[in-house]
Amino acid sequence: MHDRVARSRLGLNSKPPAKADGADPRIHVTLPQLRALESQAHGLRFLPRQPAASVFNGRHASRLRGRGLNFEELRNYLPGDDPRTIDWKVTARTGKPHVRVYSEERDRPALILVDQRMSMFFGTKHAMKSVTAAEAAALAAFRILDQGDRIGGIIFGDEFAAEIKPKASRSARDRFLTAIARANQMLQADAPAIDTLLSLNVPLRTAARIARRNHLVIVISDFDGVDDETASLIGRIASANDLILCPVTDPMAEEIPLDLKLVVSDGELQVELDTASGETHKRLAEFSSGRLSEIFNWQKRYGLPVLPLNSGEETVPQIRRLTGLTSAGRR
């Protein structure tokens, strides 16, 4: 679906709705709810030089580059200059030592991919996975813009993908938050079945096209439906950018009860799953753990930071803990 159509459907060009009376913020988010997270985003970091306890300092994680460098000028060598900055070709050609001068890039573009497909509309304890993803994306957006970087993203559901181009402005951030709220509110338990669902590969292809080099790319998703192309796209994006994966899971995925009866529906057909059956329980457990195993394989293969989020607890405390701002014992 074209970006213009997606933007219209998500209401990016219209006034966002006010919070409905009695609306449960654990099931659907609203724009005021996301905006209220701004004060809690201070201190979060999605860049290098993390606290020692941060997952970004893990043994696999961090090929994070941070901001890049812009070439500014070529000038004569001065006492005290770093010899590593000497341009030997120019020095040989002119007979005088010259150095290349660089400055740190500012307003680096960031692209946040936010999954709001029906597979995310699930939760057994604290909130829906879609709500956790929306809140995490909002926190990242606030912090990234506060650092002076450009904020943009791709918000996608089962039938659409809305692209917000990275810009260093509050209006871009607000369009991003509005799109998240709209997409989240479109998720309904009685939504009709869709013949062809949007694959995660679609927004990843868009991200690969936009983020040619030196972007910060954050993917917040349950990674439903990953395949060989997904792994290839992840590697492609990671090769030239800082890529952070945020898999969102539900507590039930970690420990599936042995006496659980689930009714699973696609909106038209439904089936009952009884985990009292040893074979059913085994297959569900293998399915849940297999998806995370694939993500952690990417972490090892590409040196990616992985920030695992769980919809079974509040979003802010777990991000602060995972990034080393609070200890595991102080929740």
Side-chain angles (χ1 to χ4, degrees):
M1 184 176 292
H2 294 298
D3 178 59
R4 179 173 58 82
V5 178
R7 286 171 64 88
S8 176
R9 179 168 183 178
L10 289 177
L12 297 182
N13 300 315
S14 60
K15 185 178 179 180
K19 186 172 181 178
D21 292 338
D24 192 333
R26 300 169 301 173
I27 297 175
H28 288 107
V29 299
T30 61
L31 187 55
Q33 179 181 339
L34 295 179
R35 282 177 171 163
L37 293 169
E38 182 172 9
S39 63
Q40 301 183 67
H42 296 302
L44 298 179
R45 285 186 62 83
F46 295 89
L47 295 170
R49 293 193 290 274
Q50 294 284 331
S54 170
V55 295
F56 296 126
N57 278 332
R59 56 194 175 100
H60 297 304
S62 215
R63 292 182 187 173
L64 283 178
R65 302 167 180 80
R67 290 185 173 93
L69 297 176
N70 281 326
F71 172 70
E72 282 203 346
E73 64 174 332
L74 192 67
R75 62 165 171 79
N76 290 329
Y77 177 86
L78 298 174
D81 284 338
D82 189 339
R84 292 174 297 181
T85 63
I86 294 177
D87 188 314
W88 294 107
K89 290 184 178 180
V90 176
T91 297
R93 187 170 65 248
T94 63
K96 295 181 180 181
H98 281 72
V99 295
R100 297 175 70 87
V101 179
Y102 294 87
S103 64
E104 187 181 47
E105 282 183 342
R106 299 297 176 182
D107 71 336
R108 186 174 73 143
L111 203 61
I112 307 175
L113 279 63
V114 190
D115 192 344
Q116 293 292 293
R117 295 177 294 174
M118 275 299 294
S119 65
M120 298 285 288
F121 195 57
F122 180 82
T124 60
K125 189 175 180 181
H126 172 71
M128 296 294 195
K129 292 189 294 181
S130 51
V131 169
T132 299
E135 291 179 340
L139 288 164
F142 283 122
R143 193 66 190 104
I144 289 166
L145 186 62
D146 189 50
Q147 291 168 174
D149 291 329
R150 282 175 276 166
I151 182 66
I154 303 170
I155 301 91
F156 60 100
D158 287 312
E159 295 183 279
F160 62 85
E163 176 188 326
I164 311 296
K165 293 183 179 179
K167 293 183 180 180
S169 67
R170 287 181 173 270
S171 60
R173 182 203 65 194
D174 289 344
R175 284 196 300 274
F176 177 68
L177 297 180
T178 300
I180 294 174
R182 291 287 184 178
N184 184 269
Q185 291 162 16
M186 288 168 62
L187 293 170
Q188 301 294 334
D190 57 356
I194 301 170
D195 292 333
T196 304
L197 302 179
L198 190 78
S199 163
L200 175 61
N201 294 337
V202 173
L204 284 176
R205 289 187 209 117
T206 302
R209 171 177 55 81
I210 297 172
R212 298 294 180 88
R213 60 176 294 276
N214 202 34
H215 281 59
L216 172 62
V217 181
I218 304 176
V219 183
I220 309 174
S221 171
D222 63 358
F223 290 86
D224 181 51
V226 299
D227 55 21
D228 290 342
E229 184 187 2
T230 313
S232 176
L233 287 165
I234 290 292
R236 178 179 164 189
I237 295 170
S239 66
N241 303 278
D242 289 337
L243 176 60
I244 300 172
L245 303 182
C246 300
V248 184
T249 59
D250 183 81
M252 195 181 75
E254 299 174 4
E255 187 174 348
I256 299 175
L258 285 170
D259 57 351
L260 180 69
K261 289 188 177 182
L262 279 176
V263 176
V264 182
S265 173
D266 64 0
E268 293 183 354
L269 302 175
Q270 66 180 37
V271 62
E272 182 178 282
L273 299 177
D274 187 354
T275 61
S277 164
E279 185 63 24
T280 299
H281 185 274
K282 178 183 176 182
R283 290 189 178 185
L284 284 174
E286 288 175 348
F287 176 79
S288 298
S289 62
R291 191 180 299 173
L292 277 178
S293 295
E294 182 69 21
I295 294 168
F296 286 116
N297 284 337
W298 296 339
Q299 181 187 44
K300 295 176 182 178
R301 189 186 316 169
Y302 304 120
L304 299 176
V306 173
L307 192 74
L309 301 175
N310 196 305
S311 62
E313 63 174 299
E314 293 182 10
T315 307
V316 175
Q318 62 178 312
I319 290 181
R320 291 184 63 84
R321 185 174 67 252
L322 287 167
T323 54
L325 296 177
T326 55
S327 64
R330 295 173 55 195
R331 299 191 182 184

